[in-house]
Amino acid sequence: MLFFTQCFGAVLDLIHLRFQHYKAKRVFSAAGQLVCVVNPTHSLKYAPTRCATVQTSAEQGVLPPCHHHEAVHDPQLVPCTCPLFSCPWQGHLEVVVSHLRQTHRINILQGAEIVFLATDMHLPAPTDWIIMHSCLGHQFLLVLRKQEKYEGHPQFFATMMLIGTPTQADNFTYRLELNRNQRRLKWEATPRSVLECVDSVISDGDCLVLNTSLAQLFSDNGSLAIGIAITTSKVHNTEDEM
């Protein structure tokens, strides 16, 4: 009975995954778009966040126990860019992608336009949904976070980070699009570099921000489909030619 129950549960999970994939295809029917179903992960580093730890320790005049300050003095090394964990890893930008895939099992999708389908939006905050997006010869990190910026009022924050330098990030533009029930909402901006802290980007509000009622308006049975498109920045191309 135990074996049968486990097998039956696996079949139900597969059916649920296929159903979620179908729903995303129905919402975003453009030919050639790839759909990535992303399950939520409860963050393990919110007590407190890595950036808050560094700031608090600096105010007290005590160095934090991790090696974050060593990375600041050595520009060749960067800390782990995964926002889900307080990971002590640090290394060169060239190996960040392999670290995220091998250590944190972050999925990666290829293509100029993809659909990010976040499931189980009803789960309590803090919760993260994260994937890597490979296109135009670079890798990007898409982070969707449910977080209470004010107590009792959870919000959703979505941002795109380039796994590269801030100068490289300025050469791109990303667009996040929600489209459901004859309603459309778009956010377009320049991606931030992973050398910056994801927590700071969310705290500054420099990203797509949805309150609970707005997220429910665009969700479908607890899942939120976000269309993602990345292009090169025409402004920077014009400036380079001049």
Side-chain angles (χ1 to χ4, degrees):
M1 288 295 296
L2 179 61
F3 176 77
F4 175 78
T5 303
Q6 291 177 344
C7 291
F8 186 69
V11 172
L12 288 180
D13 290 341
L14 180 60
I15 294 175
H16 177 72
L17 184 65
R18 295 293 298 176
F19 180 65
Q20 297 287 358
H21 186 277
Y22 167 75
K23 288 196 301 181
K25 277 295 185 182
R26 184 185 61 191
V27 175
F28 292 86
S29 58
Q33 280 190 309
L34 300 175
V35 178
C36 182
V37 179
V38 184
N39 295 320
T41 302
H42 284 282
S43 178
L44 303 178
K45 67 159 196 144
Y46 279 97
T49 63
R50 182 168 54 189
C51 293
T53 302
V54 174
Q55 182 179 1
T56 303
S57 300
E59 292 174 354
Q60 297 176 353
V62 180
L63 293 179
C66 64
H67 301 288
H68 189 80
H69 278 262
E70 293 181 9
V72 174
H73 294 294
D74 187 354
Q76 299 300 320
L77 297 178
V78 296
C80 176
T81 58
C82 184
L84 301 178
F85 308 98
S86 293
C87 178
W89 179 91
Q90 56 181 345
H92 295 273
L93 273 175
E94 292 77 9
V95 294
V96 168
V97 174
S98 60
H99 169 74
L100 293 176
R101 298 195 66 180
Q102 296 174 8
T103 303
H104 301 298
R105 305 298 181 185
I106 304 298
N107 294 326
I108 185 168
L109 239 63
Q110 296 186 1
E113 296 186 9
I114 65 175
V115 176
F116 178 95
L117 183 64
T119 65
D120 300 323
M121 303 293 294
H122 61 278
L123 291 178
T127 304
D128 288 333
W129 295 259
I130 179 173
I131 61 168
M132 283 192 293
H133 183 188
S134 177
C135 72
L136 302 175
H138 289 78
Q139 284 73 39
F140 300 82
L141 199 66
L142 177 66
V143 178
L144 173 65
R145 176 175 299 170
K146 184 178 183 180
Q147 180 174 318
E148 289 188 357
K149 198 167 185 179
Y150 306 101
E151 185 176 357
H153 298 279
Q155 293 177 300
F156 294 89
F157 304 86
T159 186
M160 182 74 75
M161 312 286 287
L162 173 71
I163 302 179
T165 65
T167 302
Q168 292 174 323
D170 288 339
N171 294 324
F172 298 96
T173 299
Y174 75 94
R175 184 181 74 246
L176 305 179
E177 179 178 339
L178 304 176
N179 190 351
R180 186 172 181 269
N181 293 337
Q182 299 181 345
R183 297 178 178 87
R184 179 174 296 180
L185 179 64
K186 290 184 179 181
W187 167 267
E188 187 171 293
T190 300
R192 305 282 284 271
S193 167
V194 294
L195 298 178
E196 306 177 56
C197 188
V198 177
D199 298 329
S200 299
V201 176
I202 292 177
S203 299
D204 295 340
D206 187 15
C207 56
L208 174 64
V209 182
L210 304 172
N211 57 31
T212 304
S213 59
L214 191 58
Q216 291 177 349
L217 189 64
F218 285 97
S219 65
D220 185 8
N221 292 327
S223 297
L224 187 67
I226 305 177
I228 307 170
I230 300 179
T231 58
T232 56
S233 177
K234 296 180 180 180
V235 175
H236 277 79
N237 290 341
T238 304
E239 291 178 352
D240 291 342
E241 291 176 0
M242 294 177 62

